[in-house]
Amino acid sequence: MKALVYAGVQALDYRYVPDPQPQSGQQLVRIEASGICGSDMHAFLGHDERRPAPLILGHEAAGTISGGPRDGERVTINPLVSCGTCRACQAGRDNLCPDRMIISMPPREGAFAEFVVMQDQNLVTVPTDVQLHKAALAEPIACGWHAVRLGAAALDLSLDQARCHVIGGGAIGVGAALALRAFGATQITVAEPNALRRATLDQIDGFDAVAPGAVTDVDLVIDGVGYAATRADATAITLPGGVIMHIGLGEGVGGLDIRRMTLQEITFIGTYTYTAQDFRDTAAAIFDGRLGPLDWTERRALADGQQAFEDIRAGKVAAPKIILEPGAS
């Protein structure tokens, strides 16, 4: 098969690699759409020691099962594989499984390829009227869905009364904003520094796109970026008794005003990916239209992946998400 292989810092090689071989309980999926995630960009820049070269990146994917009793079934892929037996898994918090694995991280190759293998239970059937490049958004949006669910439970007022603010206008931030709307929030802003992307966000219903620093006094903040500067902004603008949900993995330290958080009883919750149920619920919300038309992506050929990564890094991409398609030319 052809795959886009991370070959070294800022180097992606589109080349032939051996086809993956499904084992018992797994399916071979022909990939038709795979989104570029911020974690893929971190690896591309050499900033993620968990993803050493050579490696096939990509974990936001949808496609069609090839072979076996489910041959031809259209699916979106939950890339997070858990053990199913530990305390976290038994409690329905499988995203915290100590033995969890995700495709695009050794030993699991990712979905920037023509095929990937995945466990049966991680595949969610996609209705025939839903395009697969939209179904591939289930993974990034599920991160925001999970954060909104936890944030709503921690907040001392209902979401329809809360002032909600999302930091970051990429797919994680946009997904969080759309999830907020689906959960009943009505006052939602999304901060995005790139004016080109902010113009695209202005076309999406359900929230207002703003420049960083334009919003103060909010009840619930979702930081989809995770840098010291965004954490500093979050702690500065959250009202007493408010909640900060931290999804972003930009950098590991700095930014939190612990004294203010303590004096104002501001809750800070780190949130990692999503549970299997969150993923299924997000997929269902995509399928029934609760998350809108999802027409804010840009689609490119997998063969053009190197240029796509370079354009994202240079700030030339207006869309919150680029979807790579192996079958495109």
Side-chain angles (χ1 to χ4, degrees), residues 169 174 178 181 197 199-209 291 293-296 320:
V174 171
L178 296 177
R181 183 180 65 178
R197 178 172 288 176
T200 298
L201 301 184
D202 282 333
Q203 308 306 310
I204 303 174
D205 290 335
F207 59 83
D208 295 320
L291 298 175
L294 302 178
D295 54 0
W296 36 266

Side-chain angles (χ1 to χ4, degrees), residues 19-317:
D19 289 354
Q21 301 298 318
Q23 305 300 313
S24 176
Q26 294 181 330
Q27 298 291 338
L28 181 67
V29 181
R30 179 183 293 276
I31 298 299
E32 298 188 38
S34 187
I36 298 176
C37 177
S39 63
D40 298 318
M41 180 59 65
H42 291 158
F44 174 73
L45 297 175
H47 296 164
D48 189 349
E49 68 279 358
R50 302 172 304 167
R51 290 178 166 92
L55 181 68
I56 302 172
L57 301 172
H59 59 268
E60 307 172 355
T64 304
I65 293 176
S66 179
R70 298 176 68 180
D71 182 62
E73 184 179 329
R74 304 164 76 248
V75 293
T76 186
I77 298 171
N78 175 353
L80 197 65
V81 180
S82 57
C83 75
T85 59
C86 70
R87 184 175 69 177
C89 287
Q90 291 297 305
R93 304 183 74 187
D94 42 291
N95 61 315
L96 302 181
C97 172
D99 295 321
R100 65 182 182 257
M101 293 187 292
I102 191 168
I103 59 173
S104 79
M105 191 179 296
R108 305 293 295 265
E109 297 283 5
F112 290 156
E114 291 181 304
F115 292 96
V116 74
V117 295
M118 180 50 66
Q119 273 74 359
D120 274 298
Q121 64 268 25
N122 285 60
L123 302 175
V124 176
T125 303
V126 178
T128 57
D129 62 341
V130 176
Q131 295 170 299
L132 286 175
H133 72 272
K134 296 183 179 182
L137 293 172
E139 199 283 337
I141 296 178
C143 293
W145 186 280
H146 179 70
V148 170
R149 180 173 64 81
L150 296 182
L155 200 60
D156 63 357
L157 72 164
S158 62
L159 283 181
D160 62 349
Q161 298 176 312
R163 285 169 283 185
C164 303
H165 182 64
V166 179
I167 300 175
I172 295 293
V174 171
L178 296 177
L180 280 166
R181 183 180 65 178
F183 273 74
T186 58
Q187 303 174 71
I188 308 167
T189 50
V190 177
E192 169 55 48
N194 186 320
L196 182 65
R197 178 172 288 176
R198 199 161 59 244
T200 298
L201 301 184
D202 282 333
Q203 308 306 310
I204 303 174
D205 290 335
F207 59 83
D208 295 320
V210 298
V215 172
T216 60
D217 298 338
V218 295
D219 300 296
L220 174 63
V221 177
I222 298 177
D223 183 353
V225 179
Y227 280 98
T230 58
R231 287 190 288 270
D233 185 33
T235 53
I237 66 176
T238 303
L239 287 166
V243 175
I244 299 170
M245 301 302 303
H246 193 269
I247 308 177
L249 291 171
E251 58 186 354
V253 297
L256 289 179
D257 184 345
I258 299 299
R259 181 176 177 83
R260 180 172 192 274
M261 293 170 64
T262 299
L263 293 173
Q264 303 297 340
E265 294 192 357
I266 293 170
T267 300
F268 179 95
I269 301 176
T271 168
Y272 177 71
T273 61
Y274 39 79
T275 67
Q277 187 60 54
D278 287 322
F279 188 92
R280 290 189 291 267
D281 291 344
T282 302
I286 289 175
F287 302 158
D288 66 24
R290 276 177 287 157
L291 298 175
L294 302 178
D295 54 0
W296 36 266
T297 63
E298 179 182 339
R299 299 158 68 187
R300 299 193 189 185
L302 180 64
D304 299 328
Q306 173 81 35
Q307 189 62 56
F309 273 75
E310 291 176 359
D311 288 348
I312 292 171
R313 188 190 182 203
K316 297 179 180 179
V317 178

